[in-house]
Amino acid sequence: MSFGDPNNPYSQQPPQGRPGYPQQAPQGVPPQYGHPQQTPPPYGAYPPPGMPGMPGMGPAPLAHWGLRAGALLLDGLIVAGPMYALGFIDLANSDHPEEPGVLGVIGMLYAFAMGLFQIYLQGKTGQTTGKKVVGISVRRESDGSTLGFGMALVRWLAHFLDSIACYLGWLWPLWDEKKQTFADKVCGTVVITVDKG
């Protein structure tokens, strides 16, 4: 048998492209990224593979300010609510209100640990507890991936920029094209809506 025998389909060689040109994908098969001449589309043009809550191939819808504010309030209640409750109980039962009691210390430790846990969740999944309830997620603007703990912590610290300019940065998503706060712009993040659950 020789190559190209019409009676034996296993002996045919695969088609070769023209020298110097990349081989075209078969009709109906989308090209794969990774070829030096192909770059992925910019964020928002098509969803990154595996992005949750994005039906079909539509762009990721950016979260409006009301959802972001609601998530922030819920997270504040989760982190600070028990701390203040324990602090007030401690204050009411204390003979020395200037010194924190056992319940006050427990409340502060809880707030610190819960704050770190919320940052960890946001880095790993894109969502704090409050963001999960309202159905929004923080993602990298460049590729739609989650931030990781380190960048989530940096983004949390960068919210200082939102506050120093008379809290203008917190309101910036109301008119910004990408609905970003100053911290989002510095860290290269966007907040998108996702399916709740």
Side-chain angles (χ1 to χ4, degrees), residues 34-73:
H35 190 279
Q37 295 176 346
Q38 293 177 323
T39 57
Y43 182 77
Y46 298 100
M51 172 94 60
M54 297 172 55
M57 290 297 289
L62 297 171
H64 63 78
W65 186 84
L67 288 175
R68 294 179 67 150
L72 185 63
L73 288 174

Side-chain angles (χ1 to χ4, degrees), residues 66 75 131:
D75 287 334
K131 286 178 175 66

Side-chain angles (χ1 to χ4, degrees), residues 62 171-181 184-185:
L62 297 171
L171 300 174
W172 205 260
L174 285 169
W175 54 80
D176 186 69
E177 180 183 1
K178 296 179 184 176
K179 298 182 173 27
Q180 292 174 305
T181 62
D184 287 324
K185 290 187 178 300

